Amino acid sequence: MLRKKPGTNGAAVPRGLYSTEREWKFFASVTCGHHPSPLSETAVQVIITALCAPGTSLRQAIARDKRLEAYLLVVDKQQEPGREPGWLKLHSSDRQRGAINVQWDSHAHLLIARVVTRGASEPSAIIGDFITYLLARHSRRIKAITTAIVK
C-alpha cells in the first residue's frame, strides 16, 4: 500500500514495510528530503541527573552564579532559597530552545534537572549548554551525570 505524505508534492511511500506509524513518518520524511529529529514531533522531556559530592545546595549555587549567562542560560523563576524542596527554572537566553526545571535532593546529593521543549525545538542545544555549564563551573563536586528521555 502506498500513502502520500502531505507536503511532499505527492511522493508515495510504501506503508507496509513499517510496523508503527512513527517509523513510517520518519522514513517518509527522510525519503522526501525533510530530516526532522524523531524526538521533535511533540513535547520532549529529558531528565539530567548529577550525582554530587556532599555539600551545600548545587541548585542555590546555580541560582547565585553571576557567570550563568555566559553559558546562554538565564534564571527565570525560583522558590525562596533555603526552603525544602527548592526549585529553579532556567531558560535559554534566546528563549527559543526550552526550559530546565532544577531540583536539589540534599539527602542523596543529587541535582535533578528536567528539560522540556515543545514543537520543533530540539532539546540538544539547551542540554548541551546546561551540561557544559555544570562541568565548567561545578566539576569538583560532580561525580557522574546521566540523561534519560521521558516519553
Side-chain angles (χ1 to χ4, degrees), residues 30-87:
V30 171
T31 57
C32 298
H34 177 64
H35 301 282
S37 166
L39 300 176
S40 65
E41 295 173 5
T42 58
V44 174
Q45 289 189 33
V46 177
I47 304 295
I48 301 170
T49 56
L51 179 62
C52 301
T56 59
S57 170
L58 192 57
R59 176 192 56 82
Q60 286 181 5
I62 292 169
R64 289 190 304 249
D65 194 348
K66 303 282 188 219
R67 295 189 194 172
L68 187 62
E69 287 191 38
Y71 296 90
L72 304 176
L73 298 169
V74 179
V75 175
D76 185 29
K77 299 176 186 175
Q78 67 176 321
Q79 185 183 18
E80 292 179 28
R83 298 209 42 203
E84 187 77 27
W87 55 269

Side-chain angles (χ1 to χ4, degrees), residues 48 71-73 97 100 115 122-135 147:
I48 301 170
Y71 296 90
L72 304 176
L73 298 169
R97 299 184 306 182
I100 303 174
V115 182
E122 293 189 21
S124 57
I126 194 168
I127 291 169
D129 292 342
F130 185 65
I131 291 176
T132 300
Y133 166 78
L134 288 176
L135 293 174
T147 60

